[in-house]
PDB file of all heavy atoms in Angstrom:
ATOM      1  N   GLU F  26      39.190 -12.955 -50.978  1.00 86.00           N
ATOM      2  CA  GLU F  26      40.552 -13.464 -50.815  1.00 86.00           C
ATOM      3  C   GLU F  26      41.530 -12.711 -51.718  1.00 86.00           C
ATOM      4  O   GLU F  26      42.654 -12.395 -51.330  1.00 86.00           O
ATOM      5  CB  GLU F  26      40.613 -14.946 -51.146  1.00 86.00           C
ATOM      6  CG  GLU F  26      41.985 -15.561 -50.960  1.00 86.00           C
ATOM      7  CD  GLU F  26      42.017 -17.048 -51.255  1.00 86.00           C
ATOM      8  OE1 GLU F  26      40.957 -17.703 -51.140  1.00 86.00           O
ATOM      9  OE2 GLU F  26      43.090 -17.556 -51.633  1.00 86.00           O
ATOM     10  N   THR F  27      41.094 -12.382 -52.937  1.00 86.00           N
ATOM     11  CA  THR F  27      41.930 -11.612 -53.850  1.00 86.00           C
ATOM     12  C   THR F  27      42.238 -10.244 -53.283  1.00 86.00           C
ATOM     13  O   THR F  27      43.367  -9.745 -53.391  1.00 86.00           O
ATOM     14  CB  THR F  27      41.229 -11.463 -55.221  1.00 86.00           C
ATOM     15  OG1 THR F  27      40.961 -12.768 -55.756  1.00 86.00           O
ATOM     16  CG2 THR F  27      42.104 -10.698 -56.208  1.00 86.00           C
ATOM     17  N   ALA F  28      41.242  -9.608 -52.662  1.00 88.00           N
ATOM     18  CA  ALA F  28      41.433  -8.297 -52.050  1.00 88.00           C
ATOM     19  C   ALA F  28      42.451  -8.402 -50.898  1.00 88.00           C
ATOM     20  O   ALA F  28      43.327  -7.527 -50.728  1.00 88.00           O
ATOM     21  CB  ALA F  28      40.115  -7.751 -51.518  1.00 88.00           C
ATOM     22  N   ASN F  29      42.396  -9.487 -50.123  1.00 89.00           N
ATOM     23  CA  ASN F  29      43.370  -9.697 -49.033  1.00 89.00           C
ATOM     24  C   ASN F  29      44.764  -9.937 -49.576  1.00 89.00           C
ATOM     25  O   ASN F  29      45.759  -9.483 -49.001  1.00 89.00           O
ATOM     26  CB  ASN F  29      42.929 -10.867 -48.167  1.00 89.00           C
ATOM     27  CG  ASN F  29      41.727 -10.560 -47.333  1.00 89.00           C
ATOM     28  OD1 ASN F  29      41.478  -9.420 -46.955  1.00 89.00           O
ATOM     29  ND2 ASN F  29      40.915 -11.574 -47.025  1.00 89.00           N
ATOM     30  N   ASP F  30      44.850 -10.669 -50.701  1.00 89.00           N
ATOM     31  CA  ASP F  30      46.160 -10.880 -51.345  1.00 89.00           C
ATOM     32  C   ASP F  30      46.777  -9.542 -51.763  1.00 89.00           C
ATOM     33  O   ASP F  30      47.970  -9.294 -51.538  1.00 89.00           O
ATOM     34  CB  ASP F  30      46.000 -11.772 -52.575  1.00 89.00           C
ATOM     35  CG  ASP F  30      45.845 -13.241 -52.211  1.00 89.00           C
ATOM     36  OD1 ASP F  30      46.261 -13.631 -51.104  1.00 89.00           O
ATOM     37  OD2 ASP F  30      45.296 -14.001 -53.033  1.00 89.00           O
ATOM     38  N   PHE F  31      45.961  -8.703 -52.359  1.00 90.00           N
ATOM     39  CA  PHE F  31      46.453  -7.389 -52.813  1.00 90.00           C
ATOM     40  C   PHE F  31      46.960  -6.581 -51.623  1.00 90.00           C
ATOM     41  O   PHE F  31      48.038  -5.960 -51.672  1.00 90.00           O
ATOM     42  CB  PHE F  31      45.354  -6.626 -53.528  1.00 90.00           C
ATOM     43  CG  PHE F  31      45.726  -5.220 -53.933  1.00 90.00           C
ATOM     44  CD1 PHE F  31      46.451  -4.999 -55.097  1.00 90.00           C
ATOM     45  CD2 PHE F  31      45.380  -4.148 -53.131  1.00 90.00           C
ATOM     46  CE1 PHE F  31      46.824  -3.701 -55.455  1.00 90.00           C
ATOM     47  CE2 PHE F  31      45.736  -2.862 -53.476  1.00 90.00           C
ATOM     48  CZ  PHE F  31      46.463  -2.632 -54.640  1.00 90.00           C
ATOM     49  N   LYS F  32      46.192  -6.561 -50.524  1.00 89.00           N
ATOM     50  CA  LYS F  32      46.590  -5.766 -49.350  1.00 89.00           C
ATOM     51  C   LYS F  32      47.896  -6.280 -48.776  1.00 89.00           C
ATOM     52  O   LYS F  32      48.768  -5.473 -48.374  1.00 89.00           O
ATOM     53  CB  LYS F  32      45.478  -5.852 -48.309  1.00 89.00           C
ATOM     54  CG  LYS F  32      45.738  -5.001 -47.084  1.00 89.00           C
ATOM     55  CD  LYS F  32      44.556  -5.059 -46.131  1.00 89.00           C
ATOM     56  CE  LYS F  32      44.808  -4.205 -44.887  1.00 89.00           C
ATOM     57  NZ  LYS F  32      43.640  -4.265 -43.941  1.00 89.00           N
ATOM     58  N   SER F  33      48.070  -7.606 -48.733  1.00 89.00           N
ATOM     59  CA  SER F  33      49.283  -8.181 -48.144  1.00 89.00           C
ATOM     60  C   SER F  33      50.503  -7.937 -49.019  1.00 89.00           C
ATOM     61  O   SER F  33      51.607  -7.748 -48.507  1.00 89.00           O
ATOM     62  CB  SER F  33      49.075  -9.678 -47.916  1.00 89.00           C
ATOM     63  OG  SER F  33      48.077  -9.931 -46.973  1.00 89.00           O
ATOM     64  N   ARG F  34      50.334  -7.934 -50.344  1.00 88.00           N
ATOM     65  CA  ARG F  34      51.458  -7.782 -51.236  1.00 88.00           C
ATOM     66  C   ARG F  34      51.883  -6.324 -51.420  1.00 88.00           C
ATOM     67  O   ARG F  34      53.055  -6.028 -51.652  1.00 88.00           O
ATOM     68  CB  ARG F  34      51.116  -8.360 -52.599  1.00 88.00           C
ATOM     69  CG  ARG F  34      51.025  -9.889 -52.608  1.00 88.00           C
ATOM     70  CD  ARG F  34      50.476 -10.399 -53.915  1.00 88.00           C
ATOM     71  NE  ARG F  34      50.371 -11.861 -53.926  1.00 88.00           N
ATOM     72  CZ  ARG F  34      49.755 -12.550 -54.852  1.00 88.00           C
ATOM     73  NH1 ARG F  34      49.167 -11.929 -55.867  1.00 88.00           N
ATOM     74  NH2 ARG F  34      49.705 -13.881 -54.764  1.00 88.00           N
ATOM     75  N   CYS F  35      50.915  -5.433 -51.352  1.00 89.00           N
ATOM     76  CA  CYS F  35      51.182  -4.026 -51.729  1.00 89.00           C
ATOM     77  C   CYS F  35      51.281  -3.073 -50.542  1.00 89.00           C
ATOM     78  O   CYS F  35      51.520  -1.876 -50.738  1.00 89.00           O
ATOM     79  CB  CYS F  35      50.096  -3.536 -52.679  1.00 89.00           C
ATOM     80  SG  CYS F  35      50.009  -4.506 -54.222  1.00 89.00           S
ATOM     81  N   THR F  36      51.057  -3.526 -49.342  1.00 87.00           N
ATOM     82  CA  THR F  36      51.170  -2.669 -48.164  1.00 87.00           C
ATOM     83  C   THR F  36      52.002  -3.378 -47.107  1.00 87.00           C
ATOM     84  O   THR F  36      52.153  -4.599 -47.124  1.00 87.00           O
ATOM     85  CB  THR F  36      49.786  -2.325 -47.580  1.00 87.00           C
ATOM     86  OG1 THR F  36      49.160  -3.514 -47.092  1.00 87.00           O
ATOM     87  CG2 THR F  36      48.897  -1.661 -48.617  1.00 87.00           C
ATOM     88  N   ARG F  37      52.535  -2.626 -46.189  1.00 84.00           N
ATOM     89  CA  ARG F  37      53.328  -3.169 -45.096  1.00 84.00           C
ATOM     90  C   ARG F  37      52.827  -2.572 -43.773  1.00 84.00           C
ATOM     91  O   ARG F  37      52.655  -1.347 -43.659  1.00 84.00           O
ATOM     92  CB  ARG F  37      54.812  -2.847 -45.270  1.00 84.00           C
ATOM     93  CG  ARG F  37      55.485  -3.668 -46.345  1.00 84.00           C
ATOM     94  CD  ARG F  37      55.653  -5.106 -45.901  1.00 84.00           C
ATOM     95  NE  ARG F  37      56.290  -5.935 -46.901  1.00 84.00           N
ATOM     96  CZ  ARG F  37      55.668  -6.587 -47.863  1.00 84.00           C
ATOM     97  NH1 ARG F  37      54.355  -6.508 -47.960  1.00 84.00           N
ATOM     98  NH2 ARG F  37      56.319  -7.322 -48.731  1.00 84.00           N
ATOM     99  N   PRO F  38      52.633  -3.405 -42.750  1.00 85.00           N
ATOM    100  CA  PRO F  38      52.223  -2.893 -41.448  1.00 85.00           C
ATOM    101  C   PRO F  38      53.406  -2.190 -40.775  1.00 85.00           C
ATOM    102  O   PRO F  38      54.569  -2.486 -41.053  1.00 85.00           O
ATOM    103  CB  PRO F  38      51.839  -4.136 -40.684  1.00 85.00           C
ATOM    104  CG  PRO F  38      52.620  -5.234 -41.306  1.00 85.00           C
ATOM    105  CD  PRO F  38      52.740  -4.883 -42.758  1.00 85.00           C
ATOM    106  N   HIS F  39      53.105  -1.230 -39.910  1.00 79.00           N
ATOM    107  CA  HIS F  39      54.167  -0.515 -39.205  1.00 79.00           C
ATOM    108  C   HIS F  39      54.541  -1.316 -37.958  1.00 79.00           C
ATOM    109  O   HIS F  39      53.682  -1.671 -37.160  1.00 79.00           O
ATOM    110  CB  HIS F  39      53.702   0.882 -38.803  1.00 79.00           C
ATOM    111  CG  HIS F  39      53.430   1.769 -39.977  1.00 79.00           C
ATOM    112  ND1 HIS F  39      54.434   2.282 -40.763  1.00 79.00           N
ATOM    113  CD2 HIS F  39      52.274   2.224 -40.502  1.00 79.00           C
ATOM    114  CE1 HIS F  39      53.911   3.021 -41.721  1.00 79.00           C
ATOM    115  NE2 HIS F  39      52.592   3.005 -41.574  1.00 79.00           N
ATOM    116  N   PRO F  40      55.844  -1.607 -37.759  1.00 73.00           N
ATOM    117  CA  PRO F  40      56.252  -2.338 -36.548  1.00 73.00           C
ATOM    118  C   PRO F  40      56.047  -1.448 -35.334  1.00 73.00           C
ATOM    119  O   PRO F  40      55.903  -0.221 -35.454  1.00 73.00           O
ATOM    120  CB  PRO F  40      57.746  -2.602 -36.804  1.00 73.00           C
ATOM    121  CG  PRO F  40      58.179  -1.555 -37.762  1.00 73.00           C
ATOM    122  CD  PRO F  40      56.983  -1.269 -38.635  1.00 73.00           C
ATOM    123  N   PRO F  41      56.014  -2.025 -34.144  1.00 71.00           N
ATOM    124  CA  PRO F  41      55.830  -1.228 -32.910  1.00 71.00           C
ATOM    125  C   PRO F  41      57.050  -0.359 -32.651  1.00 71.00           C
ATOM    126  O   PRO F  41      58.008  -0.324 -33.426  1.00 71.00           O
ATOM    127  CB  PRO F  41      55.636  -2.304 -31.828  1.00 71.00           C
ATOM    128  CG  PRO F  41      56.350  -3.505 -32.372  1.00 71.00           C
ATOM    129  CD  PRO F  41      56.135  -3.463 -33.872  1.00 71.00           C
ATOM    130  N   ASN F  42      57.005   0.325 -31.546  1.00 69.00           N
ATOM    131  CA  ASN F  42      58.124   1.191 -31.175  1.00 69.00           C
ATOM    132  C   ASN F  42      59.432   0.388 -31.193  1.00 69.00           C
ATOM    133  O   ASN F  42      59.429  -0.821 -30.906  1.00 69.00           O
ATOM    134  CB  ASN F  42      57.909   1.775 -29.787  1.00 69.00           C
ATOM    135  CG  ASN F  42      56.711   2.715 -29.763  1.00 69.00           C
ATOM    136  OD1 ASN F  42      56.407   3.363 -30.769  1.00 69.00           O
ATOM    137  ND2 ASN F  42      56.035   2.797 -28.631  1.00 69.00           N
ATOM    138  N   PRO F  43      60.547   1.019 -31.532  1.00 65.00           N
ATOM    139  CA  PRO F  43      61.811   0.288 -31.714  1.00 65.00           C
ATOM    140  C   PRO F  43      62.139  -0.598 -30.506  1.00 65.00           C
ATOM    141  O   PRO F  43      62.102  -0.157 -29.366  1.00 65.00           O
ATOM    142  CB  PRO F  43      62.840   1.410 -31.878  1.00 65.00           C
ATOM    143  CG  PRO F  43      62.043   2.554 -32.429  1.00 65.00           C
ATOM    144  CD  PRO F  43      60.695   2.448 -31.789  1.00 65.00           C
ATOM    145  N   THR F  44      62.459  -1.843 -30.785  1.00 67.00           N
ATOM    146  CA  THR F  44      62.868  -2.795 -29.753  1.00 67.00           C
ATOM    147  C   THR F  44      64.057  -3.602 -30.336  1.00 67.00           C
ATOM    148  O   THR F  44      64.428  -3.440 -31.501  1.00 67.00           O
ATOM    149  CB  THR F  44      61.763  -3.774 -29.362  1.00 67.00           C
ATOM    150  OG1 THR F  44      61.518  -4.666 -30.456  1.00 67.00           O
ATOM    151  CG2 THR F  44      60.483  -3.027 -29.019  1.00 67.00           C
ATOM    152  N   CYS F  45      64.585  -4.497 -29.516  1.00 68.00           N
ATOM    153  CA  CYS F  45      65.668  -5.347 -30.004  1.00 68.00           C
ATOM    154  C   CYS F  45      65.171  -6.338 -31.050  1.00 68.00           C
ATOM    155  O   CYS F  45      65.963  -7.009 -31.719  1.00 68.00           O
ATOM    156  CB  CYS F  45      66.321  -6.072 -28.834  1.00 68.00           C
ATOM    157  SG  CYS F  45      65.167  -7.148 -27.924  1.00 68.00           S
ATOM    158  N   LEU F  46      63.844  -6.453 -31.196  1.00 75.00           N
ATOM    159  CA  LEU F  46      63.279  -7.414 -32.149  1.00 75.00           C
ATOM    160  C   LEU F  46      62.729  -6.743 -33.417  1.00 75.00           C
ATOM    161  O   LEU F  46      62.008  -7.361 -34.176  1.00 75.00           O
ATOM    162  CB  LEU F  46      62.119  -8.174 -31.463  1.00 75.00           C
ATOM    163  CG  LEU F  46      62.492  -8.975 -30.210  1.00 75.00           C
ATOM    164  CD1 LEU F  46      61.247  -9.570 -29.571  1.00 75.00           C
ATOM    165  CD2 LEU F  46      63.471 -10.076 -30.546  1.00 75.00           C
ATOM    166  N   THR F  47      63.093  -5.491 -33.633  1.00 81.00           N
ATOM    167  CA  THR F  47      62.577  -4.757 -34.794  1.00 81.00           C
ATOM    168  C   THR F  47      62.887  -5.499 -36.104  1.00 81.00           C
ATOM    169  O   THR F  47      62.063  -5.537 -37.019  1.00 81.00           O
ATOM    170  CB  THR F  47      63.183  -3.347 -34.855  1.00 81.00           C
ATOM    171  OG1 THR F  47      62.782  -2.643 -33.673  1.00 81.00           O
ATOM    172  CG2 THR F  47      62.659  -2.588 -36.065  1.00 81.00           C
ATOM    173  N   THR F  48      64.084  -6.092 -36.194  1.00 82.00           N
ATOM    174  CA  THR F  48      64.452  -6.831 -37.422  1.00 82.00           C
ATOM    175  C   THR F  48      63.476  -7.968 -37.664  1.00 82.00           C
ATOM    176  O   THR F  48      63.063  -8.202 -38.825  1.00 82.00           O
ATOM    177  CB  THR F  48      65.873  -7.398 -37.289  1.00 82.00           C
ATOM    178  OG1 THR F  48      66.786  -6.323 -37.095  1.00 82.00           O
ATOM    179  CG2 THR F  48      66.239  -8.179 -38.551  1.00 82.00           C
ATOM    180  N   TYR F  49      63.052  -8.652 -36.610  1.00 83.00           N
ATOM    181  CA  TYR F  49      62.112  -9.759 -36.770  1.00 83.00           C
ATOM    182  C   TYR F  49      60.734  -9.267 -37.221  1.00 83.00           C
ATOM    183  O   TYR F  49      60.085  -9.881 -38.049  1.00 83.00           O
ATOM    184  CB  TYR F  49      61.993 -10.556 -35.468  1.00 83.00           C
ATOM    185  CG  TYR F  49      63.267 -11.254 -35.071  1.00 83.00           C
ATOM    186  CD1 TYR F  49      64.058 -10.753 -34.048  1.00 83.00           C
ATOM    187  CD2 TYR F  49      63.669 -12.393 -35.721  1.00 83.00           C
ATOM    188  CE1 TYR F  49      65.238 -11.396 -33.675  1.00 83.00           C
ATOM    189  CE2 TYR F  49      64.852 -13.051 -35.379  1.00 83.00           C
ATOM    190  CZ  TYR F  49      65.610 -12.536 -34.352  1.00 83.00           C
ATOM    191  OH  TYR F  49      66.775 -13.172 -34.004  1.00 83.00           O
ATOM    192  N   TYR F  50      60.308  -8.154 -36.657  1.00 86.00           N
ATOM    193  CA  TYR F  50      59.029  -7.582 -37.083  1.00 86.00           C
ATOM    194  C   TYR F  50      59.063  -7.259 -38.583  1.00 86.00           C
ATOM    195  O   TYR F  50      58.112  -7.524 -39.332  1.00 86.00           O
ATOM    196  CB  TYR F  50      58.720  -6.311 -36.309  1.00 86.00           C
ATOM    197  CG  TYR F  50      58.252  -6.554 -34.896  1.00 86.00           C
ATOM    198  CD1 TYR F  50      59.093  -6.344 -33.812  1.00 86.00           C
ATOM    199  CD2 TYR F  50      56.948  -6.970 -34.643  1.00 86.00           C
ATOM    200  CE1 TYR F  50      58.671  -6.539 -32.514  1.00 86.00           C
ATOM    201  CE2 TYR F  50      56.504  -7.176 -33.345  1.00 86.00           C
ATOM    202  CZ  TYR F  50      57.368  -6.983 -32.274  1.00 86.00           C
ATOM    203  OH  TYR F  50      56.923  -7.198 -30.992  1.00 86.00           O
ATOM    204  N   ASN F  51      60.167  -6.675 -39.032  1.00 87.00           N
ATOM    205  CA  ASN F  51      60.269  -6.314 -40.455  1.00 87.00           C
ATOM    206  C   ASN F  51      60.297  -7.566 -41.343  1.00 87.00           C
ATOM    207  O   ASN F  51      59.705  -7.570 -42.431  1.00 87.00           O
ATOM    208  CB  ASN F  51      61.544  -5.484 -40.681  1.00 87.00           C
ATOM    209  CG  ASN F  51      61.423  -4.098 -40.050  1.00 87.00           C
ATOM    210  OD1 ASN F  51      60.331  -3.559 -39.927  1.00 87.00           O
ATOM    211  ND2 ASN F  51      62.544  -3.509 -39.663  1.00 87.00           N
ATOM    212  N   GLN F  52      60.984  -8.611 -40.903  1.00 88.00           N
ATOM    213  CA  GLN F  52      60.992  -9.856 -41.685  1.00 88.00           C
ATOM    214  C   GLN F  52      59.598 -10.473 -41.746  1.00 88.00           C
ATOM    215  O   GLN F  52      59.171 -10.960 -42.812  1.00 88.00           O
ATOM    216  CB  GLN F  52      61.988 -10.838 -41.072  1.00 88.00           C
ATOM    217  CG  GLN F  52      63.435 -10.470 -41.266  1.00 88.00           C
ATOM    218  CD  GLN F  52      64.377 -11.468 -40.610  1.00 88.00           C
ATOM    219  OE1 GLN F  52      63.951 -12.250 -39.757  1.00 88.00           O
ATOM    220  NE2 GLN F  52      65.631 -11.435 -41.016  1.00 88.00           N
ATOM    221  N   CYS F  53      58.876 -10.449 -40.647  1.00 89.00           N
ATOM    222  CA  CYS F  53      57.522 -10.995 -40.636  1.00 89.00           C
ATOM    223  C   CYS F  53      56.601 -10.211 -41.564  1.00 89.00           C
ATOM    224  O   CYS F  53      55.763 -10.777 -42.267  1.00 89.00           O
ATOM    225  CB  CYS F  53      56.964 -10.946 -39.219  1.00 89.00           C
ATOM    226  SG  CYS F  53      57.720 -12.124 -38.087  1.00 89.00           S
ATOM    227  N   ALA F  54      56.783  -8.890 -41.602  1.00 89.00           N
ATOM    228  CA  ALA F  54      55.968  -8.069 -42.499  1.00 89.00           C
ATOM    229  C   ALA F  54      56.215  -8.414 -43.957  1.00 89.00           C
ATOM    230  O   ALA F  54      55.330  -8.281 -44.810  1.00 89.00           O
ATOM    231  CB  ALA F  54      56.241  -6.593 -42.239  1.00 89.00           C
ATOM    232  N   GLU F  55      57.445  -8.885 -44.246  1.00 89.00           N
ATOM    233  CA  GLU F  55      57.788  -9.229 -45.628  1.00 89.00           C
ATOM    234  C   GLU F  55      57.277 -10.610 -46.004  1.00 89.00           C
ATOM    235  O   GLU F  55      56.795 -10.834 -47.127  1.00 89.00           O
ATOM    236  CB  GLU F  55      59.315  -9.169 -45.794  1.00 89.00           C
ATOM    237  CG  GLU F  55      59.781  -9.554 -47.192  1.00 89.00           C
ATOM    238  CD  GLU F  55      61.285  -9.501 -47.330  1.00 89.00           C
ATOM    239  OE1 GLU F  55      61.957  -9.090 -46.356  1.00 89.00           O
ATOM    240  OE2 GLU F  55      61.803  -9.905 -48.416  1.00 89.00           O
ATOM    241  N   PHE F  56      57.318 -11.562 -45.067  1.00 89.00           N
ATOM    242  CA  PHE F  56      57.029 -12.958 -45.399  1.00 89.00           C
ATOM    243  C   PHE F  56      55.556 -13.350 -45.219  1.00 89.00           C
ATOM    244  O   PHE F  56      55.048 -14.174 -45.930  1.00 89.00           O
ATOM    245  CB  PHE F  56      57.887 -13.897 -44.558  1.00 89.00           C
ATOM    246  CG  PHE F  56      59.359 -13.802 -44.865  1.00 89.00           C
ATOM    247  CD1 PHE F  56      60.308 -13.730 -43.865  1.00 89.00           C
ATOM    248  CD2 PHE F  56      59.784 -13.768 -46.179  1.00 89.00           C
ATOM    249  CE1 PHE F  56      61.653 -13.647 -44.143  1.00 89.00           C
ATOM    250  CE2 PHE F  56      61.140 -13.688 -46.491  1.00 89.00           C
ATOM    251  CZ  PHE F  56      62.075 -13.606 -45.461  1.00 89.00           C
ATOM    252  N   TYR F  57      54.897 -12.759 -44.230  1.00 92.00           N
ATOM    253  CA  TYR F  57      53.540 -13.205 -43.883  1.00 92.00           C
ATOM    254  C   TYR F  57      52.479 -12.323 -44.491  1.00 92.00           C
ATOM    255  O   TYR F  57      52.715 -11.138 -44.806  1.00 92.00           O
ATOM    256  CB  TYR F  57      53.378 -13.200 -42.351  1.00 92.00           C
ATOM    257  CG  TYR F  57      54.176 -14.262 -41.634  1.00 92.00           C
ATOM    258  CD1 TYR F  57      55.326 -13.931 -40.911  1.00 92.00           C
ATOM    259  CD2 TYR F  57      53.800 -15.601 -41.685  1.00 92.00           C
ATOM    260  CE1 TYR F  57      56.061 -14.896 -40.254  1.00 92.00           C
ATOM    261  CE2 TYR F  57      54.511 -16.577 -41.026  1.00 92.00           C
ATOM    262  CZ  TYR F  57      55.646 -16.221 -40.316  1.00 92.00           C
ATOM    263  OH  TYR F  57      56.380 -17.176 -39.665  1.00 92.00           O
TER     264      TYR F  57
END
């Protein structure tokens, strides 16, 4: 679980190809 915490805090997933929802993808990457 600690390793998963580190991965979530220190890395960010790449959102899919640009869409009208790109802002939401970026917010989700920050919060979740």
Side-chain angles (χ1 to χ4, degrees):
E26 182 179 335
T27 302
N29 289 331
D30 283 338
F31 175 83
K32 184 177 180 180
S33 295
R34 290 171 180 169
C35 300
T36 64
R37 286 288 180 272
H39 295 289
N42 295 329
T44 70
C45 60
L46 301 175
T47 299
T48 300
Y49 295 105
Y50 284 104
N51 290 332
Q52 288 179 343
C53 289
E55 179 181 355
F56 294 135
Y57 290 106

